[in-house]
């Protein structure tokens, strides 16, 4: 058997010649200096644009070919070969195309003929160089222009894809014209018998190769890296059989390849300059595969089907969405009719995702195809875009409730709705309003007419808003939903997933976290995980022992500990010193960290503590930013994000500027509270410090901010002060491979919920009917809102007479009904008027029911932190994938309300003991927290301090007056308890930190007395 590399070459060539639409070619006629088969390109132009070439020859005569090559190179050097392939060249009024793409419809036979005239050639041992005799194993050309280079290796002869990569990196001179970026070759493939890798630019040792494999489970299926066994040939044959065959390759050039331009501010010679970088985007295999399979399925099934795409975070979803948009917007059926009137991209973020918006707009090969309803545009603009039939509309979910009644009749219109990061918001009332705005209700109307036994004609004229609302329920033939997410929940799977014969719901296409990690397309954020256990002991600082609600008191104590200055100081020191010792040396000294905090107040206090610590230590190479929404009041001070974030020059940093400035060398650490934990794409982010409880999808989304790859980034690190390694493992497991839903929801549970609510006897059918008569009125009068409010008054009185437990159960049941009905009617048509009326009534009731009154427990002056210690509890890799059943989510089986926790009052001392039992560590005397003790002594010892605080500013008080008082108190404490206070005199920085903290608190309290 012949197993040499030449045989591998020959087998690929044979397939391309017999089945791929290629012809065989050698080096005859190749112009090495210009890297082109000029005669072949001229032949193509003569064949397809005879009149244009005649005009061109009249202008240039015998110099035509020479002038054409000159102009061709000018346009390529200015705009790039990709632009010229798509747009052709212009020369003195003559427009010449260098290739033709497959038309969407077959109505224009001239375009079909031109497409078929394209000449695709395969050249083996391609001698490209003007410097030496080097050859590339195989090159593919289009109309004489070399566009694809393949280096082929064979494990049987001792070489692999790694050798092919090295050949491109070290044996191919990037300075040779054929290798210039976007001048000739668009993609470089390194191929062996088992794997494929690709690059779009040769940069010597910095050449960046990406995997181009199907995955071990097969394309779009769960698996790891590599390719599955192929019983019919080579494991890598999909490359030449599918990707590089004529139709596929020309489709990639026309609709997928994309030059991405990135603008970033960088510091050069201490000056901030804008750096432009360009890269050519060639689709990864999973991206090409999902778009191809979506389009093929839509061509067969038309509109009306839903699709769930489970692609890992960091896998390039924005590009996949953009490519899907363009294919769907231009898709025609077998009768040459457009399948969709418009493609609408929906995100549930109130501020439209700039990355997604920019990606889609940048793919706009035909100007004006995309209408972005982002910042500065109103719901009216969305309504106009839909009514005008704009081909691609990018918007937020929040705009639909405003316009859903104003959209013109959608009879005959069909919409593809692409949902970015599909979660529970896509199953609620805003998503239902989207359907109401876009649904063609003709089919639903016929179904309703059959059920009601009425004539269809009568119903069309029947202006009943209730029936109109019922008609929007369920799935609609004119609406196709395509939902992209890395972390699908139960509702997402049932609404958008594909149901198998066994009743389970699965994604339509998968690119798993497991595969992405194994392919090194993303980093494994759990590979280097460290957890700390916070041990502390609380003591009473009051002789009182009041009775307090247990759960509220426990929360207050834990909050007291988490916001305690000593806790923040200790953790800040650990984080900053780790950053300086490890993180800041990563990614060539450019690595950054994020601190995830439990609340906006935590974020503000951490930010200020970080600033204090950096200033105290004199670290000039470290600076920090903070991100939170709105304003935060802390005692007498009010803080905002823009008020705290300031550049070295003293300029305030706006919310929009923050991501860009964080990526510069000026800032290293970002402290966040419910911001930048999803959708934030910063490859320089290496380390995450977590001081917040994380679980489920939120844990995956938050930690996944670290997973982006870049040149020089070899790992990531997480330091977690709150969660245990096992909790994080539990959160990640369902989304590591494939996420599946076990069964569909039992829609009849909604009737059971209605019965359980009615059993409280708080309202009846008459109340519901009265409400809906007002709710569905054609025009609201000046008294209608008042009537509705009055209608709930007797119900609220009876509600307040219920026991605490009954109130909890009733309120929970009402919420369940509202939530589950809104969900159920999106997956099926109930056509039950009574259920809809009940929903309308209960949705308003849920708003007017009083909130559960939770007694606010303030323990600030009743407790003190006596002991505190941070202990490392875990360090290593959190390993996923051992339990195959973890990826199966279970649907709800009952909407019964579980009994709320009994609220009981306990003595403060008992509550403190409970907390201490949970968080108590092994303490030494040296760990005793001394701040409270010294703070109280300071106030008792020196009566003059109050006068000093009133008359002086903080700086004078803390630097000139307070140190003497503090020194006396410290000496007194040391004499009383040497073990506890000796650290003060052993560690000068510790002494200063405690003194400054007590000075600040003393000053603030005394001035406010």
């Amino acid at each position: 058997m012949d197993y040499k590399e030449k045989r591998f070459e020959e087998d690929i060539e044979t397939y391309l010649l017999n089945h791929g639409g290629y012809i065989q070619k050698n080096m005859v006629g190749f112009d090495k200096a210009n890297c082109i088969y000029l005669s072949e390109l001229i032949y193509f132009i003569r064949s397809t644009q005879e009149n244009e070439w005649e005009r061109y020859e009249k202008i240039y005569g015998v110099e035509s070919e020479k002038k054409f090559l000159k102009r061709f190179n000018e346009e390529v050097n200015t705009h790039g070969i990709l632009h010229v392939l798509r747009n052709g060249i212009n020369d003195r009024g003559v427009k010449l195309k260098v290739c033709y793409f497959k038309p969407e419809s077959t109505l224009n036979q001239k375009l079909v003929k031109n497409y078929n005239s394209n000449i695709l050639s395969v050249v083996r041992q391609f001698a490209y160089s003007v410097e030496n005799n080097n050859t590339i194993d195989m090159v593919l050309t289009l109309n004489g222009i070399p566009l694809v280079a393949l280096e082929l290796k064979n494990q049987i002869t001792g070489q692999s894809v790694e050798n092919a990569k090295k050949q491109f990196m070290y044996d191919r001179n990037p300075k040779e014209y054929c290798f210039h970026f976007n001048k000739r070759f668009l993609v470089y493939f390194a191929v062996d018998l088992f794997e494929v890798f690709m690059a779009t630019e040769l940069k010597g040792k910095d050449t960046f190769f990406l995997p181009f494999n199907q995955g071990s489970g097969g394309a779009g299926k769960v698996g790891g890296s590599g390719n599955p066994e192929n019983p019919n040939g080579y494991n890598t044959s999909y490359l030449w059989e599918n990707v590089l065959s004529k139709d596929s390759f020309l489709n990639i050039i026309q609709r997928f390849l994309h030059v991405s331009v990135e603008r970033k501010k960088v510091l050069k010679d201490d000056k901030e300059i804008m750096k432009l970088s360009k890269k050519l985007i060639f689709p990864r295999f999973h991206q090409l595969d999902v778009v191809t399979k979506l389009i093929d399925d839509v061509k067969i099934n038309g509109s009306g089907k839903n699709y769930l795409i489970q692609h890992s975070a960091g896998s390039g979803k924005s590009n996949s969405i953009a490519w899907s948009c363009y294919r769907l917007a231009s898709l025609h059926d077998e009768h040459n009719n457009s399948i969709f009137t418009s493609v609408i991209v929906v995100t549930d973020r109130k501020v439209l995702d700039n990355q997604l918006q920019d990606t889609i707009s940048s793919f706009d090969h035909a100007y004006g195809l995309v209408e972005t309803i982002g910042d500065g545009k109103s719901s009216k603009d969305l309504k106009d875009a839909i009514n005008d039939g704009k081909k691609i509309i990018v918007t937020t979910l929040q705009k639909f409730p405003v316009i859903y009644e104003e959209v013109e009749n959608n009879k005959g219109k069909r919409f593809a709705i692409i949902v970015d990061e599909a979660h529970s918001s896509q199953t609620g009332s805003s998503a239902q309003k989207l359907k109401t705005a876009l649904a063609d209700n003709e089919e639903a109307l016929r179904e309703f007419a059959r059920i009601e036994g009425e004539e269809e004609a009568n119903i069309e004229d029947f202006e009943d808003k209730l029936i109109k609302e019922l008609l929007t329920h369920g799935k609609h033939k004119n609406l196709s939903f395509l939902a992209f997410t890395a972390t699908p929940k139960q509702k997402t799977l049932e609404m958008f997933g594909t149901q198998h014969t066994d009743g389970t719901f699965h994604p339509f296409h998968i690119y798993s976290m497991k595969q992405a990690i194994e392919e090194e397309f993303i980093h494994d954020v759990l590979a280097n995980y460290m957890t700390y256990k916070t041990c502390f002991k609380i003591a009473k600082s009051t002789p009182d022992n009041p009775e307090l609600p247990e759960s509220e008191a426990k929360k207050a104590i834990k909050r007291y500990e988490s916001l305690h200055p000593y806790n923040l100081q200790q953790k800040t020191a650990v984080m900053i010193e780790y950053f300086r010792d490890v993180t800041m040396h990563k990614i060539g000294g450019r690595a950054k960290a994020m601190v995830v905090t439990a609340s906006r107040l935590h974020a503000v206090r951490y930010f200020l503590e970080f600033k204090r610590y950096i200033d105290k230590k004199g670290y000039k190479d470290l600076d920090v930013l903070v991100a939170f929404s709105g304003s935060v009041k802390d005692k007498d001070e009010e803080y905002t994000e823009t008020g705290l974030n300031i550049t070295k020059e003293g300029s305030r940093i706006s919310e929009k500027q923050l991501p860009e400035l964080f990526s510069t060398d000026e800032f290293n650490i970002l402290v966040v509270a419910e911001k930048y934990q999803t959708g934030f794409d910063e490859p320089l982010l290496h380390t995450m410090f977590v001081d917040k409880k994380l679980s489920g999808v939120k844990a995956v989304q938050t930690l996944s901010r670290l997973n982006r790859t870049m040149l020089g980034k070899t790992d990531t690190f997480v330091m977690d002060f709150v969660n245990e390694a096992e909790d994080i493992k539990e959160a990640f497991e369902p989304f590591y491979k494939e996420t599946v839903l076990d069964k569909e929801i039992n829609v009849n549970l909604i009737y059971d919920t209605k019965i359980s609510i009615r059993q409280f006897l708080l309202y009846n059918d008459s109340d519901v009917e009265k409400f809906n008569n007002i709710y569905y009125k054609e025009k609201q009068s000046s008294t209608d809102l008042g009537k509705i409010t009055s209608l709930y008054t007797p119900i609220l009185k009876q509600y307040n007479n219920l026991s605490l437990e009954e109130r909890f159960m009733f309120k929970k049941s009402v919420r369940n009904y509202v939530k589950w009905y809104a969900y159920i009617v999106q997956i099926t048509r109930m056509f039950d008027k009574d259920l809809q009326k009940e929903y309308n009534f209960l949705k308003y009731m849920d708003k007017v029911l009083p909130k559960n009154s939770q007694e606010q427990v303030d323990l600030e002056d009743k407790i003190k932190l006596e002991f505190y210690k941070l202990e490392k509890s875990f360090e290593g890799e959190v390993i996923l994938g051992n339990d195959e059943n973890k990826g199966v989510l279970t649907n709800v089986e009952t909407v019964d309300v579980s009994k709320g926790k009994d609220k009981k009052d306990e003595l403060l001392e008992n509550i403190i003991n409970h907390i201490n039992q949970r968080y108590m560590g092994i303490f030494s005397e040296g760990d005793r927290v001394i701040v409270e003790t010294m703070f109280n002594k300071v106030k008792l010892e020196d009566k003059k301090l109050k006068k000093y605080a009133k008359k002086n500013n903080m700086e004078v008080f803390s630097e000139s007056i307070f140190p003497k008082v503090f020194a006396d108190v410290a000496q007194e404490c040391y004499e009383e308890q040497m073990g506890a206070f000796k650290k003060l005199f052993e560690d000068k920085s510790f002494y200063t930190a405690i003194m400054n903290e007590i000075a600040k608190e003393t000053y603030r309290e005394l001035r406010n007395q």
Side-chain angles (χ1 to χ4, degrees):
M1 173 179 271
D2 184 0
Y3 53 77
K4 298 218 171 117
E5 193 179 291
K6 284 192 176 177
R7 179 67 200 202
F8 189 27
E9 268 182 42
E10 190 181 313
D11 290 343
I12 296 172
E13 181 188 48
T14 299
Y15 183 89
L16 290 172
L17 298 178
N18 294 335
H19 309 285
Y22 286 75
I23 62 169
Q24 191 177 49
K25 199 165 190 62
N26 54 34
M27 297 307 299
V28 175
F30 181 67
D31 177 354
K32 289 185 179 181
N34 291 291
C35 193
I36 197 167
Y37 290 95
L38 183 60
S39 58
E40 188 166 287
L41 181 54
I42 299 295
Y43 175 80
F44 167 78
I45 292 170
R46 286 179 187 275
S47 304
T48 56
Q49 302 150 83
E50 189 178 351
N51 294 337
E52 286 82 355
W53 185 253
E54 279 183 15
R55 281 184 59 207
Y56 199 75
E57 284 189 315
K58 281 179 184 174
I59 296 169
Y60 289 116
V62 294
E63 294 249 289
S64 295
E65 292 189 11
K66 185 179 173 183
K67 292 289 187 183
F68 170 80
L69 179 59
K70 180 175 178 291
R71 182 60 190 150
F72 173 81
N73 282 336
E74 284 173 353
E75 292 235 12
V76 167
N77 292 334
T78 305
H79 306 295
I81 188 64
L82 184 59
H83 174 88
V84 172
L85 289 168
R86 285 176 175 157
N87 300 284
I89 69 161
N90 291 284
D91 191 356
R92 295 183 66 172
V94 181
K95 185 175 176 65
L96 297 169
K97 304 281 276 180
V98 298
C99 71
Y100 278 96
F101 298 112
K102 193 171 189 175
E104 284 293 348
S105 73
T106 56
L107 293 174
N108 189 329
Q109 284 301 307
K110 169 75 169 140
L111 290 178
V112 174
K113 181 176 177 291
N114 286 345
Y115 172 73
N116 291 330
S117 298
N118 285 311
I119 307 161
L120 282 95
S121 306
V122 54
V123 188
R124 289 170 63 186
Q125 297 306 312
F126 184 79
Y128 62 88
S129 180
V130 294
E131 300 175 345
N132 51 51
N133 296 319
N134 285 354
T135 60
I136 298 170
D137 288 338
M138 185 174 287
V139 163
L140 307 182
T141 70
L142 171 61
N143 299 326
I145 307 167
L147 298 177
V148 180
L150 299 99
E151 289 292 356
L152 309 172
K153 300 301 168 193
N154 182 340
Q155 277 89 345
I156 300 171
T157 57
Q159 289 197 312
S160 73
V161 72
E162 294 304 319
N163 299 95
K165 287 187 202 175
K166 286 175 184 171
Q167 206 165 359
F168 275 127
M169 293 165 79
Y170 300 109
D171 297 344
R172 306 288 175 249
N173 183 0
K175 292 180 180 176
E176 293 223 34
Y177 184 67
C178 60
F179 300 131
H180 286 191
F181 175 74
N182 195 20
K183 297 296 187 287
R184 288 298 185 268
F185 288 115
L186 294 172
V187 63
Y188 305 89
F189 285 111
V191 190
D192 67 20
L193 306 179
F194 301 104
E195 290 191 286
V196 180
F197 282 77
M198 68 159 183
T200 54
E201 183 179 9
L202 295 190
K203 297 195 288 188
K205 64 180 176 59
D206 295 328
T207 302
F208 190 59
F209 279 93
L210 283 167
F212 196 77
N213 299 310
Q214 300 175 85
S216 60
K221 296 176 181 160
V222 69
S225 60
N227 289 296
E229 177 190 353
N230 180 8
N232 301 312
Y234 293 101
N235 286 5
T236 49
S237 64
Y238 62 90
L239 176 64
W240 53 91
E241 291 178 5
N242 300 331
V243 179
L244 297 177
S245 62
K246 178 180 177 178
D247 286 351
S248 172
F249 180 49
L250 283 163
N251 181 47
I252 290 169
I253 294 173
Q254 182 188 9
R255 299 191 177 96
F256 285 88
L257 278 167
H258 164 58
V259 177
S260 170
V261 181
E262 194 176 275
R263 293 171 176 83
K264 265 197 172 181
K265 287 182 180 175
V266 294
L267 286 175
K268 189 174 182 181
D269 301 326
D270 293 328
K271 288 185 179 178
E272 205 172 68
I273 59 166
M274 188 66 77
K275 184 183 177 186
L276 279 181
S277 62
K278 292 183 178 182
K279 60 181 177 181
L280 188 64
I281 307 291
F282 192 98
R284 292 280 313 283
F285 185 81
H286 71 272
Q287 294 171 319
L288 182 64
D289 189 63
V290 70
V291 176
T292 303
K293 284 177 176 169
L294 279 171
I295 298 310
D296 290 347
D297 198 87
V298 170
K299 279 182 177 177
I300 294 167
N301 295 299
S303 62
K305 187 175 172 182
N306 293 345
Y307 304 88
L308 176 63
I309 294 91
Q310 183 179 0
H311 281 192
S312 165
S315 64
K317 283 200 298 293
S318 293
N319 283 343
S320 298
I321 288 171
W323 286 318
S324 299
C325 276
Y326 278 94
R327 291 298 288 117
L328 292 166
S330 58
L331 201 59
H332 287 68
D333 61 19
E334 58 188 5
H335 304 296
N336 292 315
N337 298 316
S338 286
I339 293 179
F340 295 111
T341 310
S342 300
V343 178
I344 302 176
V345 183
V346 176
T347 175
D348 65 353
R349 298 167 196 160
K350 288 183 174 61
V351 178
L352 190 60
D353 185 316
N354 287 330
Q355 183 195 359
L356 179 63
Q357 175 185 334
D358 294 345
T359 302
I360 292 172
S361 298
S362 68
F363 277 34
D364 192 351
H365 309 318
Y367 181 75
L369 195 64
V370 178
E371 184 77 20
T372 302
I373 314 296
D375 295 344
K377 290 196 178 179
S378 66
S379 297
K380 181 183 179 298
D381 295 310
L382 173 60
K383 179 194 73 175
D384 293 342
I386 294 169
N387 288 339
D388 293 346
K390 291 284 185 182
K391 287 309 286 183
I392 297 175
I393 302 166
V394 187
T395 186
T396 57
L397 186 64
Q398 284 73 22
K399 284 190 165 66
F400 276 95
V402 183
I403 58 102
Y404 74 100
E405 289 181 323
E406 300 173 35
V407 175
E408 292 169 4
N409 180 18
N410 285 318
K411 190 172 180 179
K413 290 183 180 178
R414 292 172 301 279
F415 300 95
I417 299 131
I418 297 181
V419 181
D420 174 36
E421 277 306 332
H423 285 302
S424 53
S425 58
Q426 304 295 339
T427 61
S429 57
S430 291
Q432 184 58 39
K433 295 292 192 294
L434 179 150
K435 278 190 174 180
T436 305
L438 302 176
D440 178 353
N441 294 328
E442 195 173 346
E443 181 194 350
L445 197 60
R446 286 196 294 271
E447 189 180 341
F448 184 78
R450 286 196 300 274
I451 293 169
E452 295 292 303
E454 298 177 34
E455 289 294 322
E456 192 177 318
N458 294 339
I459 292 182
E460 277 187 354
D461 296 327
F462 183 43
E463 291 299 312
D464 187 341
K465 285 189 177 181
L466 171 59
I467 293 173
K468 278 188 175 180
E469 200 150 6
L470 292 175
L471 294 177
T472 65
H473 294 170
K475 294 182 178 178
H476 294 265
K477 276 299 292 176
N478 77 315
L479 303 181
S480 286
F481 284 85
L482 297 85
F484 287 77
T485 181
T487 50
K489 294 180 180 178
Q490 287 93 329
K491 290 181 182 179
T492 316
L493 276 157
E494 186 166 6
M495 185 170 289
F496 304 117
T498 304
Q499 190 170 19
H500 289 194
T501 52
D502 62 355
T504 58
F505 289 83
H506 296 253
F508 173 78
H509 196 277
I510 301 159
Y511 181 67
S512 67
M513 187 190 301
K514 172 182 166 67
Q515 183 177 343
I517 290 168
E518 288 186 9
E519 290 189 337
E520 298 181 355
F521 191 54
I522 62 172
H523 284 289
D524 180 0
V525 298
L526 305 185
N528 298 298
Y529 211 93
M530 183 187 291
T531 63
Y532 273 84
K533 183 182 179 186
T534 306
C535 307
F536 62 86
K537 184 180 178 184
I538 300 289
K540 277 199 305 144
S541 60
T542 173
D544 300 335
N545 198 17
E547 282 202 355
L548 300 166
E550 183 185 9
S551 61
E552 280 73 23
K554 282 184 176 178
K555 285 177 190 171
I557 291 171
K558 187 69 186 82
R559 183 172 171 80
Y560 171 82
E561 178 274 328
S562 71
L563 284 167
H564 195 283
Y566 191 78
N567 174 50
L568 298 179
Q569 287 167 9
Q570 296 299 299
K571 289 178 180 175
T572 295
V574 170
M575 288 187 267
I576 289 181
E577 294 308 328
Y578 182 88
F579 185 90
R580 286 183 58 76
D581 290 345
V582 180
T583 305
M584 72 186 305
H585 305 295
K586 299 283 186 176
I587 323 179
R590 299 170 62 213
K592 299 182 183 296
M594 179 182 281
V595 183
V596 179
T597 67
S599 72
R600 296 181 307 148
L601 179 57
H602 282 84
V604 169
R605 289 197 182 177
Y606 260 126
F607 173 81
L608 296 173
E609 189 56 47
F610 267 61
K611 284 282 195 182
R612 271 194 291 272
Y613 188 90
I614 291 167
D615 186 54
K616 180 184 74 176
K617 289 285 190 177
Y619 294 151
K620 302 298 183 189
D621 52 359
L622 211 58
D623 207 351
V624 61
L625 293 166
V626 66
F628 61 91
S629 56
S631 62
V632 176
K633 196 155 189 185
D634 188 7
K635 297 180 182 173
D636 301 328
E637 298 285 337
E638 191 164 347
Y639 301 97
T640 62
E641 181 184 304
T642 50
L644 290 170
N645 291 327
I646 300 171
T647 65
K648 282 186 171 69
E649 291 76 32
S651 305
R652 296 206 182 281
I653 299 169
S654 71
E655 187 179 11
K656 279 190 173 179
Q657 289 173 316
L658 191 148
E660 188 178 279
L661 282 171
F662 180 55
S663 71
T664 67
D665 294 337
E666 186 174 344
F667 297 98
N668 327 72
I669 300 171
L670 176 62
V671 181
V672 301
E674 287 300 334
K675 255 184 142 180
Y676 297 104
Q677 285 171 242
T678 59
F680 181 50
D681 189 3
E682 177 49 76
L684 288 169
L685 205 54
H686 172 278
T687 296
M688 187 172 286
F689 301 110
V690 180
D691 198 22
K692 175 186 179 176
K693 188 69 181 169
L694 295 174
S695 61
V697 168
K698 183 69 82 177
V700 179
Q701 289 180 328
T702 301
L703 296 175
S704 292
R705 295 311 99 211
L706 296 178
N707 72 12
R708 303 318 193 254
T709 58
M710 67 175 294
L711 205 63
K713 184 175 178 179
T714 57
D715 61 2
T716 64
F717 177 77
V718 179
M719 183 183 290
D720 196 328
F721 294 104
V722 177
N723 308 282
E724 294 182 14
E726 200 56 40
D727 299 332
I728 297 301
K729 176 181 169 71
E730 194 73 22
F732 270 73
E733 281 285 13
F735 312 110
Y736 183 58
K737 295 180 181 176
E738 177 188 17
T739 313
V740 176
L741 181 64
D742 64 339
K743 60 179 177 295
E744 64 186 4
I745 192 170
N746 177 4
V747 297
N748 290 322
L749 289 174
I750 202 72
Y751 292 105
D752 300 336
T753 312
K754 179 181 173 183
I755 291 167
S756 70
I757 294 171
R758 289 297 188 103
Q759 284 172 347
F760 285 90
L761 303 176
L762 295 188
Y763 66 93
N764 56 31
D765 288 344
S766 174
D767 296 320
V768 174
E769 204 60 41
K770 284 178 190 172
F771 173 89
N772 279 281
N773 286 340
I774 300 169
Y775 180 80
Y776 283 118
K777 276 180 70 174
E778 194 61 41
K779 192 173 181 183
Q780 183 178 330
S781 73
S782 59
T783 60
D784 284 343
L785 184 58
K787 287 176 184 176
I788 281 179
T789 312
S790 300
L791 201 150
Y792 285 111
T793 304
I795 300 169
L796 292 174
K797 279 184 182 176
Q798 292 184 68
Y799 171 80
N800 288 325
N801 290 332
L802 297 174
S803 69
L804 195 64
E805 184 184 337
E806 287 173 325
R807 288 205 296 269
F808 173 86
M809 292 177 70
F810 180 79
K811 193 175 180 72
K812 192 81 183 290
S813 297
V814 167
R815 288 217 165 141
N816 275 348
Y817 186 96
V818 172
K819 180 177 70 173
W820 286 107
Y821 184 79
Y823 168 54
I824 285 168
V825 296
Q826 293 203 57
I827 56 177
T828 186
R829 290 195 188 111
M830 301 292 282
F831 283 138
D832 189 318
K833 294 179 189 175
D834 293 334
L835 282 182
Q836 179 67 37
K837 289 177 182 176
E838 195 91 9
Y839 168 74
N840 298 336
F841 179 76
L842 291 176
K843 190 167 71 167
Y844 271 70
M845 181 186 283
D846 185 37
K847 297 177 194 298
V848 298
L849 284 175
K851 290 181 179 177
N852 292 331
S853 58
Q854 289 192 345
E855 188 178 335
Q856 292 296 310
V857 177
D858 183 8
L859 299 175
E860 192 76 28
D861 58 344
K862 296 181 179 67
I863 58 176
K864 65 180 181 179
L865 187 63
E866 191 170 70
F867 289 120
Y868 180 96
K869 192 170 187 177
L870 273 177
E871 290 182 331
K872 191 188 294 183
S873 54
F874 174 85
E875 185 175 8
E877 182 181 4
V878 179
I879 298 170
L880 302 175
N882 294 332
D883 189 344
E884 293 298 323
N885 296 320
K886 286 290 185 181
V888 179
L889 305 180
T890 55
N891 218 334
V892 65
E893 294 186 5
T894 175
V895 282
D896 288 344
V897 181
S898 57
K899 186 179 177 184
K901 286 184 179 177
D902 289 330
K903 291 198 173 185
K904 57 183 179 184
D905 290 348
E906 287 206 18
L907 295 175
L908 174 59
E909 193 153 1
N910 292 338
I911 293 167
I912 289 172
N913 287 337
H914 291 165
I915 289 281
N916 286 337
Q917 283 168 17
R918 184 174 175 188
Y919 291 98
M920 189 72 164
I922 301 167
F923 294 99
S924 66
E925 279 294 293
D927 292 318
R928 180 178 288 273
V929 175
I930 61 177
V931 177
E932 277 89 358
T933 307
M934 295 190 70
F935 179 56
N936 291 329
K937 272 187 177 290
V938 163
K939 288 192 294 181
L940 290 170
E941 292 293 322
D942 202 320
K943 306 294 183 190
K944 293 179 184 176
L945 276 180
K946 185 174 179 181
K947 185 173 73 174
Y948 290 139
K950 294 277 188 187
K951 289 187 175 180
N952 294 282
N953 63 28
M954 172 67 184
E955 191 175 345
V956 172
F957 179 84
S958 60
E959 291 181 9
S960 303
I961 298 163
F962 192 75
K964 173 71 171 66
V965 176
F966 182 81
D968 293 342
V969 170
Q971 188 63 42
E972 184 184 335
C973 289
Y974 178 71
E975 288 169 5
E976 289 174 3
Q977 282 182 287
M978 290 180 66
F981 289 89
K982 69 176 182 178
K983 188 178 178 183
L984 271 177
F985 298 97
E986 292 174 346
D987 186 341
K988 191 169 186 298
S989 64
F990 181 69
Y991 179 98
T992 306
I994 296 293
M995 182 179 71
N996 290 342
E997 190 60 40
I998 293 177
K1000 184 188 71 179
E1001 292 299 324
T1002 304
Y1003 181 79
R1004 186 180 291 174
E1005 183 163 315
L1006 292 177
R1007 273 186 75 90
N1008 290 333
Q1009 284 181 3

